[in-house]
Amino acid sequence: SNETAEGPRETMFLPRLTILFLAFATMMSAEPPGCKIRITSKGLDMLKYETQKFVEEELENITVPDLKGKEGGLQYTIQDVKIQELNLTYADLRFQPDVGLLFDIQNSSISLTFQRHILYWFLHDVGAINASADGVNIHVALYMTRDDSGRLKISNMSCDAAVAKMRAKFSGTLGKVYEFLASFLTTGMRFILNQQICPTLNHAGLVLINSLLDTVPVRQTVDKYVGIDYALLSDPVVTSSSLDMDFRGMFYVLENPNDTIVNYAAYPVVREYDRMVYLALSEYFFDSGMYAYYKAGVFSMQIMPKDLEMLLRTTYFGTIMMLNPALMEAPISLELEVSTAPRCVIKTSGATVAVTAVVTVMMLPAGQTPVQLSSMTMEAKLNAKVSMKGKKLAVHMDLRRFKIYSNQSALESLALIPLQGPLKTMLQISIVPIINNRTKKGVQIPLPEGMDFIEEVVEYHNGFIIIGANLHFTKGLREVIESNRQYMPSNSTLAP
C-alpha cells in the first residue's frame, strides 16, 4: 500500500520539477540589458500637455464630408464644416498595465461652423450655422510593443468616441423660420463627427506618433570606429506607475559588427519612481564600448617623450652602449599598445577602469630600422565619472593607480623604479587627456528627438549605474513629427 501511495506523489513531483527547471533555464538564457530606461508617471505628466495640444491640433483638422438629404418637402445640403475651437475640459494620459498608454477626454466640447443650403417647398435659404458639440468623450488605448527591428512602436490602437449632444443656431434672413429643423440637421452632424474622430486619432497614433518613435536610434554610428546597438530586447513592461524598456546597449566595431563580447554583467535594477526618467547602464555597456575601440585599434599610440628623453637615455645608457654607441644621439620614443580590452568595475563607491598595456622603448635612428631597447608592462586603474548633458552620455577619466614592471626580469623591474613617477606624470598629462577628449563627445542615449535630460543625479550600484533625471522638451511634438516626416525615408522603421 505504501508503494501505491508514493507512486502518484512522485508522478506529481516530476512535472513540477520540470516546470521549475524550464523557468530557470529561460531566465538564464534571456539576454540581460546593457541599458534600461524607465519612464515614470511624473514623466508622463510632462508628456500630457504636449499630447493634449497635439490631439487638439489633429481634431481641429478633421475633414467632414458634405451632408445632403431630402425629407418630405425639405432638401438640404451642409458643407464647408470648420472646427473653430476645442475645449478639452478634462484630459488625462496614464499607463495601462500590460498594454501601454491610455488617453482620456471627458465632458469636453467642440465649436464649429458650416454653410447650409435649404429648399423647403418654394422657399430657398442660404446661410451660416454656428453649432456646438457637447459631452464629447474620447477613450484611446495605445498598445506599445517591440517591432522586428527592435524599435518601440504603437502596434495597435483602440478608440471609442461619442458626442452626447449637439446644438445649432441659425443665422440669415429666414433663420428663425428654420429653428425647428435644427435638431434634425444636428443629428446628422453628430453622427458624422462620431465617425470622424477615431479614424483621425488612429492616424495620429499609428502614423504620426510612430514617426516620432522612429527618431529613437536602434543602430547608430558613434564615430568612425564604432557604433552602438539600442535594439529593444523585449516588449516594454508597463505597470500603473511606469514603463520599463530593456535595450541591448552594446557597442560594436563598424568594420566587424559581429565581433562582440557576451553579456555576463549584472541585470540593472531600477527601484525608484521619484524622477521623470531613469537610465540604468550595466558594466557590459562600458565593457562592450572599450572592447569595440580595442578591436578597432584605437588603444595604440606612439609618444615622443621630450620631458622624459634625458631620463630614458640615462636609464638605458648601458643597453644603448652594448647595442651600438652611435644610437646615443638618435630620437627616442615610447610605443604604447593596450594588450587586452580594458574592463570596467562599478561599485557603490564609484566606477573604475583597469588597463593593461605593453610599453616599448624604441630608438629611431635616421634612415634605419627602429631598435628596441626594452619592453615593459604597464598596469593602470582609472576612476571613471559618468555625466549626462541633454541626450549625450559622457565619461571623464582620472588616473588612480599606476605601476610598470619588466617583461624580461625582476632585476630590470627594479631598474625601472625611477621611471614610475615620470611615466605616471606623462600618462596624466599626455594620454589621459586624449582619452577624455574622445569620451567627452559622448554617445546618444535612446530618447526621441526634441526630448532631453535635465537635473541629472548619478548613482553607483554594484554592477550598474543609474541616472535619475527630469525631462525637458526642446521642440514641440508637432515640430518633431513634421520635420521627421519631411526628411526621413519611408522605410525608416527598419534598423540601418
Side-chain angles (χ1 to χ4, degrees):
S1 60
N2 286 342
E3 288 182 9
T4 56
E6 288 180 7
R9 205 177 300 163
E10 186 177 322
T11 307
M12 291 173 64
F13 175 72
L14 285 172
R16 288 177 184 171
L17 186 63
T18 305
I19 291 169
L20 284 171
F21 175 76
L22 288 173
F24 179 74
T26 303
M27 288 173 62
M28 293 300 290
S29 63
E31 181 183 350
C35 170
K36 184 185 186 80
I37 289 183
R38 165 172 290 176
I39 307 291
T40 68
S41 295
K42 289 185 178 180
L44 209 57
D45 287 341
M46 178 79 177
L47 290 167
K48 185 167 72 174
Y49 170 74
E50 282 293 325
T51 305
Q52 180 176 334
K53 187 168 72 169
F54 177 71
V55 168
E56 286 176 353
E57 290 167 351
E58 286 301 299
L59 293 179
E60 284 173 358
N61 293 324
I62 283 179
T63 302
V64 180
D66 293 350
L67 182 65
K68 297 181 180 181
K70 185 175 182 180
E71 188 73 25
L74 173 68
Q75 295 181 54
Y76 61 88
T77 300
I78 301 297
Q79 58 188 24
D80 295 332
V81 180
K82 293 179 181 176
I83 293 177
Q84 301 296 327
E85 184 183 3
L86 280 90
N87 181 19
L88 303 186
T89 53
Y90 174 84
D92 186 37
L93 182 66
R94 63 184 184 273
F95 294 116
Q96 176 69 23
D98 303 322
V99 172
L101 301 177
L102 276 182
F103 186 67
D104 258 335
I105 295 171
Q106 293 181 20
N107 201 28
S108 298
S109 61
I110 302 173
S111 299
L112 59 156
T113 60
F114 45 88
Q115 295 294 319
R116 72 177 188 272
H117 295 266
I118 297 175
L119 181 63
Y120 187 59
W121 298 110
F122 300 108
L123 297 174
H124 181 256
D125 188 37
V126 177
I129 301 176
N130 296 315
S132 64
D134 298 320
V136 177
N137 295 308
I138 305 171
H139 179 87
V140 180
L142 294 87
Y143 293 79
M144 312 292 288
T145 59
R146 170 195 181 277
D147 73 4
D148 292 338
S149 69
R151 193 185 297 278
L152 181 67
K153 281 290 176 185
I154 299 170
S155 60
N156 200 4
M157 289 179 62
S158 64
C159 175
D160 295 309
V163 177
K165 58 182 177 179
M166 192 155 182
R167 293 173 291 136
K169 184 177 181 181
F170 286 68
S171 64
T173 313
L174 303 175
K176 290 291 182 183
V177 177
Y178 300 122
E179 282 288 351
F180 75 96
L181 296 173
S183 61
F184 177 74
L185 295 176
T186 54
T187 299
M189 281 304 302
R190 184 162 65 91
F191 174 78
I192 288 176
L193 272 180
N194 280 336
Q195 295 295 306
Q196 292 295 317
I197 289 173
C198 279
T200 299
L201 294 183
N202 283 340
H203 176 266
L206 295 173
V207 177
L208 302 184
I209 300 297
N210 272 337
S211 74
L212 172 71
L213 296 176
D214 280 343
T215 66
V216 180
V218 174
R219 287 176 77 87
Q220 180 190 34
T221 299
V222 176
D223 53 29
K224 64 181 180 180
Y225 302 106
V226 306
I228 188 164
D229 186 336
Y230 278 130
L232 271 174
L233 298 177
S234 58
D235 290 342
V237 177
V238 188
T239 68
S240 59
S241 53
S242 67
L243 183 145
D244 288 0
M245 295 169 285
D246 288 351
F247 298 92
R248 180 165 288 121
M250 178 194 74
F251 290 83
Y252 57 90
V253 189
L254 292 178
E255 290 186 355
N256 189 6
N258 295 322
D259 186 4
T260 58
I261 55 174
V262 179
N263 185 354
Y264 295 116
Y267 192 103
V269 179
V270 182
R271 293 187 174 90
E272 294 88 353
Y273 295 90
D274 295 335
R275 295 300 192 97
M276 293 182 184
V277 62
Y278 290 92
L279 170 71
L281 302 166
S282 77
E283 289 173 347
Y284 177 77
F285 179 86
F286 301 99
D287 282 348
S288 69
M290 290 183 288
Y291 179 83
Y293 279 114
Y294 168 69
K295 283 294 186 176
V298 172
F299 298 138
S300 178
M301 59 188 74
Q302 186 180 57
I303 304 162
M304 307 297 286
K306 294 295 181 185
D307 297 336
L308 292 177
E309 192 168 352
M310 185 58 69
L311 179 61
L312 289 169
R313 290 185 193 282
T314 303
T315 302
Y316 293 103
F317 177 80
T319 306
I320 296 170
M321 294 304 291
M322 281 193 295
L323 287 171
N324 183 358
L327 292 173
M328 188 58 71
E329 299 303 318
I332 196 165
S333 78
L334 291 176
E335 292 182 0
L336 187 146
E337 185 166 356
V338 173
S339 51
T340 57
R343 297 304 295 263
C344 173
V345 175
I346 303 172
K347 296 182 178 178
T348 52
S349 56
T352 57
V353 175
V355 182
T356 301
V358 175
V359 180
T360 306
V361 185
M362 304 288 290
M363 301 298 291
L364 307 175
Q368 298 178 41
T369 305
V371 177
Q372 178 179 320
L373 296 181
S374 176
S375 176
M376 64 191 101
T377 297
M378 178 196 79
E379 291 181 356
K381 186 169 280 190
L382 300 101
N383 285 330
K385 186 178 180 182
V386 177
S387 63
M388 279 286 302
K389 187 173 183 181
K391 275 193 289 288
K392 292 281 188 179
L393 179 83
V395 180
H396 182 83
M397 302 282 194
D398 285 309
L399 186 62
R400 177 180 172 185
R401 196 179 301 160
F402 172 87
K403 73 172 182 176
I404 53 171
Y405 54 89
S406 170
N407 294 333
Q408 275 82 37
S409 67
L411 189 63
E412 189 175 357
S413 292
L414 286 172
L416 293 175
I417 290 175
L419 287 176
Q420 292 269 7
L423 282 175
K424 183 177 181 181
T425 302
M426 182 201 71
L427 200 64
Q428 287 174 316
I429 294 173
S430 302
I431 299 175
V432 173
I434 293 172
I435 297 171
N436 284 331
N437 191 50
R438 185 177 300 280
T439 58
K440 77 177 182 181
K441 295 174 183 176
V443 59
Q444 183 178 333
I445 60 168
L447 272 184
E449 187 183 334
M451 197 181 294
D452 284 348
F453 275 30
I454 58 169
E455 301 165 353
E456 309 88 354
V457 175
V458 181
E459 294 179 354
Y460 294 85
H461 299 261
N462 288 325
F464 57 92
I465 290 171
I466 293 179
I467 302 173
N470 290 323
L471 292 171
H472 170 67
F473 280 100
T474 57
K475 295 180 182 178
L477 199 57
R478 171 71 57 187
E479 182 184 353
V480 176
I481 288 170
E482 290 302 325
S483 62
N484 189 50
R485 292 177 74 200
Q486 182 178 354
Y487 295 110
M488 289 193 72
S490 58
N491 63 341
S492 61
T493 56
L494 298 175

